[in-house]
Amino acid sequence: MALIVHKYGGTSMGSTDRIAQVAKRVAKWTRAGHQIVVVPSAMSGETNRLLGLAKELAPARQTAEYLRELDMLASTGEQVSVGLLAIALQAEGVAAVSYAGWQVPIRTDNAYTKARIDSIDDRKVRADLNAGKVVIITGFQGIDGAGNITTLGRGGSDTSAVAVAAALKADECLIFTDVDGVYTTDPRVVPEARRLHTVSFEEMLEMASLGSKVLQIRSVEFAGKYKVPLRVLSSFTPWDIDIAEEAKSGTLITFEEDEKMEQAIVSGIAFNRDEAKISVLGVPDLPGIAFQILGAVADANIEVDVIIQNVSRDGKADFSFTVHHNDYARALDLLKDKVLPALGGQANVVGDPRICKVSIVGIGMRSHVGVASKMFRALSEEGINIQMITTSEIKTSVVIDEKYMELAVRTLHRAFDLEQPGA
Ligand code: ASP
Ligand code: MG
């Protein structure tokens, strides 16, 4: 008997029919003798619908009073899901009880709309499991120290599931979703993309932060911190698929590097269209300039990703960095209004929102030289110009013109032999 956490995403919970299928699948796992905790998302589209209602009434604001109410509102989607799933399980003849985050409780800080989990009290859940019940807990939400409902950021149910699994020291956390695992890249861009049977936790973390949308980044961080065995698998197989087969399906996120020894040097190609480039040209080449520019950006709570500064000529340097699209206009204004005047008015700011970032990821890069140059050669053979480069131990990213994104991803996928065998 194992203790297993199942997480079902919005599409998997998308209708009462789908919820009935989830109930049948969960019932199958309990009949096989396992203790099951289920963490579902809201029904697909529901969180957007709820947040849309708020917009109909008032423009978004960043005040705590407003954000508190957004969380109060958005958290209800998951409450609907857990109630419906418990009803469906009971109809299957399986004892089940549902809880909202505050009932467990799942304690968080008070950063509304992006709260972090501080602790989870497992006593009630354990008592129910020991009494033979399936326990269903809302994803995406918790309660702060003052008793307010909080949410964990979009896609946060993944994090709830992993955190619950960590708190219960579950044997495994199964993330059931609408794709059947983690792929070498997005199959919509490269149809020959291949499902990975295993991916190391570090690679998964890079892929999630570089734009792969399979798991919320924070859930991967959490899994790493507490060593939660995590598997991404499909909820669209027939619910009565053989349980032993199902338990091995999808992609397992591993913590053992040895298991990866035989694997390719590059495991995946990630891409991200959500960034824009900003360059500050002709800044004086003096100590403190990077701080003056990026300090102002950080103070405005704008996250910066790739940064480059060229070698100076005639005492002047150019300084470029990327920010999220949503922060682009604000960052440009800030630089023009505040930073340029402070730099003595000689520098100049230009921006380009039509860029993208393409990355190769693989823990094999640690022990192999020449991986990045192979990437650059493949791109140059397609005539793709690289605007910026950034590397870490297990990834190399390039910033290129957005219009070459798909070509770049396909080219790199081929260059690093990631296609399906025989494709
Ligand atoms: N329902 C929330 C969202 O749409 C959380 C989740 O689905 O993970 O972002
Ligand atoms: Mg999701």
PDB file of all heavy atoms in Angstrom, residues 7 10 41-42 47 78 140 153-158, ligand 1:
ATOM      1  N   LYS A   7      -2.852  14.833  -8.797  1.00  0.00           N
ATOM      2  CA  LYS A   7      -3.264  16.201  -9.142  1.00  0.00           C
ATOM      3  C   LYS A   7      -3.934  16.168 -10.515  1.00  0.00           C
ATOM      4  O   LYS A   7      -3.385  15.572 -11.447  1.00  0.00           O
ATOM      5  CB  LYS A   7      -2.059  17.135  -9.131  1.00  0.00           C
ATOM      6  CG  LYS A   7      -2.431  18.605  -9.314  1.00  0.00           C
ATOM      7  CD  LYS A   7      -2.232  19.067 -10.717  1.00  0.00           C
ATOM      8  CE  LYS A   7      -2.823  20.458 -10.922  1.00  0.00           C
ATOM      9  NZ  LYS A   7      -2.623  20.946 -12.282  1.00  0.00           N
ATOM     10  N   GLY A  10      -7.082  21.575 -14.941  1.00  0.00           N
ATOM     11  CA  GLY A  10      -8.385  22.126 -15.317  1.00  0.00           C
ATOM     12  C   GLY A  10      -9.073  21.372 -16.441  1.00  0.00           C
ATOM     13  O   GLY A  10     -10.288  21.150 -16.393  1.00  0.00           O
ATOM     14  N   SER A  41      -7.517  21.153  -9.883  1.00  0.00           N
ATOM     15  CA  SER A  41      -7.636  22.563 -10.282  1.00  0.00           C
ATOM     16  C   SER A  41      -9.111  22.909 -10.434  1.00  0.00           C
ATOM     17  O   SER A  41      -9.973  22.036 -10.407  1.00  0.00           O
ATOM     18  CB  SER A  41      -6.999  22.775 -11.661  1.00  0.00           C
ATOM     19  OG  SER A  41      -5.618  22.722 -11.599  1.00  0.00           O
ATOM     20  N   ALA A  42      -9.366  24.167 -10.685  1.00  0.00           N
ATOM     21  CA  ALA A  42     -10.711  24.596 -11.064  1.00  0.00           C
ATOM     22  C   ALA A  42     -11.032  24.025 -12.445  1.00  0.00           C
ATOM     23  O   ALA A  42     -10.132  23.699 -13.222  1.00  0.00           O
ATOM     24  CB  ALA A  42     -10.761  26.118 -11.108  1.00  0.00           C
ATOM     25  N   THR A  47     -11.147  29.895 -13.702  1.00  0.00           N
ATOM     26  CA  THR A  47     -10.383  30.955 -13.026  1.00  0.00           C
ATOM     27  C   THR A  47     -10.377  32.216 -13.888  1.00  0.00           C
ATOM     28  O   THR A  47     -10.570  33.323 -13.378  1.00  0.00           O
ATOM     29  CB  THR A  47      -8.954  30.463 -12.720  1.00  0.00           C
ATOM     30  OG1 THR A  47      -9.041  29.195 -12.062  1.00  0.00           O
ATOM     31  CG2 THR A  47      -8.211  31.441 -11.828  1.00  0.00           C
ATOM     32  N   GLU A  78     -11.726  26.251  -7.340  1.00  0.00           N
ATOM     33  CA  GLU A  78     -11.236  24.972  -6.816  1.00  0.00           C
ATOM     34  C   GLU A  78     -12.218  24.393  -5.796  1.00  0.00           C
ATOM     35  O   GLU A  78     -12.311  23.177  -5.644  1.00  0.00           O
ATOM     36  CB  GLU A  78      -9.845  25.157  -6.200  1.00  0.00           C
ATOM     37  CG  GLU A  78      -8.668  24.998  -7.165  1.00  0.00           C
ATOM     38  CD  GLU A  78      -8.514  26.117  -8.198  1.00  0.00           C
ATOM     39  OE1 GLU A  78      -9.186  27.151  -8.065  1.00  0.00           O
ATOM     40  OE2 GLU A  78      -7.711  25.945  -9.139  1.00  0.00           O
ATOM     41  N   PHE A 140      -4.267  25.494  -5.335  1.00  0.00           N
ATOM     42  CA  PHE A 140      -4.181  26.931  -5.645  1.00  0.00           C
ATOM     43  C   PHE A 140      -4.393  27.856  -4.463  1.00  0.00           C
ATOM     44  O   PHE A 140      -4.189  29.044  -4.581  1.00  0.00           O
ATOM     45  CB  PHE A 140      -5.207  27.216  -6.759  1.00  0.00           C
ATOM     46  CG  PHE A 140      -5.269  28.581  -7.343  1.00  0.00           C
ATOM     47  CD1 PHE A 140      -4.122  29.253  -7.780  1.00  0.00           C
ATOM     48  CD2 PHE A 140      -6.506  29.219  -7.520  1.00  0.00           C
ATOM     49  CE1 PHE A 140      -4.205  30.517  -8.376  1.00  0.00           C
ATOM     50  CE2 PHE A 140      -6.597  30.475  -8.115  1.00  0.00           C
ATOM     51  CZ  PHE A 140      -5.448  31.122  -8.539  1.00  0.00           C
ATOM     52  N   GLY A 153      -0.793  31.929  -7.148  1.00  0.00           N
ATOM     53  CA  GLY A 153      -0.318  32.287  -8.492  1.00  0.00           C
ATOM     54  C   GLY A 153      -0.891  31.320  -9.511  1.00  0.00           C
ATOM     55  O   GLY A 153      -1.187  30.162  -9.187  1.00  0.00           O
ATOM     56  N   ARG A 154      -1.035  31.820 -10.749  1.00  0.00           N
ATOM     57  CA  ARG A 154      -1.660  31.003 -11.789  1.00  0.00           C
ATOM     58  C   ARG A 154      -0.895  29.686 -11.978  1.00  0.00           C
ATOM     59  O   ARG A 154       0.330  29.664 -11.948  1.00  0.00           O
ATOM     60  CB  ARG A 154      -1.730  31.779 -13.114  1.00  0.00           C
ATOM     61  CG  ARG A 154      -2.568  33.055 -13.052  1.00  0.00           C
ATOM     62  CD  ARG A 154      -3.985  32.853 -12.519  1.00  0.00           C
ATOM     63  NE  ARG A 154      -4.771  31.851 -13.227  1.00  0.00           N
ATOM     64  CZ  ARG A 154      -5.538  32.101 -14.275  1.00  0.00           C
ATOM     65  NH1 ARG A 154      -5.602  33.328 -14.765  1.00  0.00           N
ATOM     66  NH2 ARG A 154      -6.233  31.142 -14.842  1.00  0.00           N
ATOM     67  N   GLY A 155      -1.657  28.645 -12.146  1.00  0.00           N
ATOM     68  CA  GLY A 155      -1.046  27.320 -12.259  1.00  0.00           C
ATOM     69  C   GLY A 155      -0.647  26.738 -10.911  1.00  0.00           C
ATOM     70  O   GLY A 155       0.024  25.713 -10.833  1.00  0.00           O
ATOM     71  N   GLY A 156      -1.078  27.385  -9.832  1.00  0.00           N
ATOM     72  CA  GLY A 156      -0.589  27.051  -8.495  1.00  0.00           C
ATOM     73  C   GLY A 156      -1.051  25.716  -7.939  1.00  0.00           C
ATOM     74  O   GLY A 156      -0.521  25.252  -6.925  1.00  0.00           O
ATOM     75  N   SER A 157      -2.003  25.068  -8.583  1.00  0.00           N
ATOM     76  CA  SER A 157      -2.448  23.772  -8.063  1.00  0.00           C
ATOM     77  C   SER A 157      -1.330  22.739  -8.115  1.00  0.00           C
ATOM     78  O   SER A 157      -1.296  21.811  -7.300  1.00  0.00           O
ATOM     79  CB  SER A 157      -3.651  23.251  -8.845  1.00  0.00           C
ATOM     80  OG  SER A 157      -4.733  24.124  -8.676  1.00  0.00           O
ATOM     81  N   ASP A 158      -0.435  22.872  -9.079  1.00  0.00           N
ATOM     82  CA  ASP A 158       0.720  21.970  -9.117  1.00  0.00           C
ATOM     83  C   ASP A 158       1.492  22.074  -7.808  1.00  0.00           C
ATOM     84  O   ASP A 158       1.878  21.072  -7.202  1.00  0.00           O
ATOM     85  CB  ASP A 158       1.689  22.353 -10.255  1.00  0.00           C
ATOM     86  CG  ASP A 158       1.114  22.109 -11.642  1.00  0.00           C
ATOM     87  OD1 ASP A 158       0.173  21.304 -11.757  1.00  0.00           O
ATOM     88  OD2 ASP A 158       1.615  22.729 -12.602  1.00  0.00           O
TER      89      ASP A 158
HETATM   90  N1  ASP B   1      -7.107  27.404 -11.275  1.00  0.00           N
HETATM   91  C1  ASP B   1      -5.825  28.059 -11.138  1.00  0.00           C
HETATM   92  C2  ASP B   1      -5.408  28.661 -12.477  1.00  0.00           C
HETATM   93  O1  ASP B   1      -6.119  28.575 -13.441  1.00  0.00           O
HETATM   94  C3  ASP B   1      -4.786  27.170 -10.590  1.00  0.00           C
HETATM   95  C4  ASP B   1      -4.441  25.974 -11.438  1.00  0.00           C
HETATM   96  O2  ASP B   1      -5.214  25.591 -12.318  1.00  0.00           O
HETATM   97  O3  ASP B   1      -3.392  25.385 -11.211  1.00  0.00           O
HETATM   98  O4  ASP B   1      -4.383  29.256 -12.569  1.00  0.00           O
END
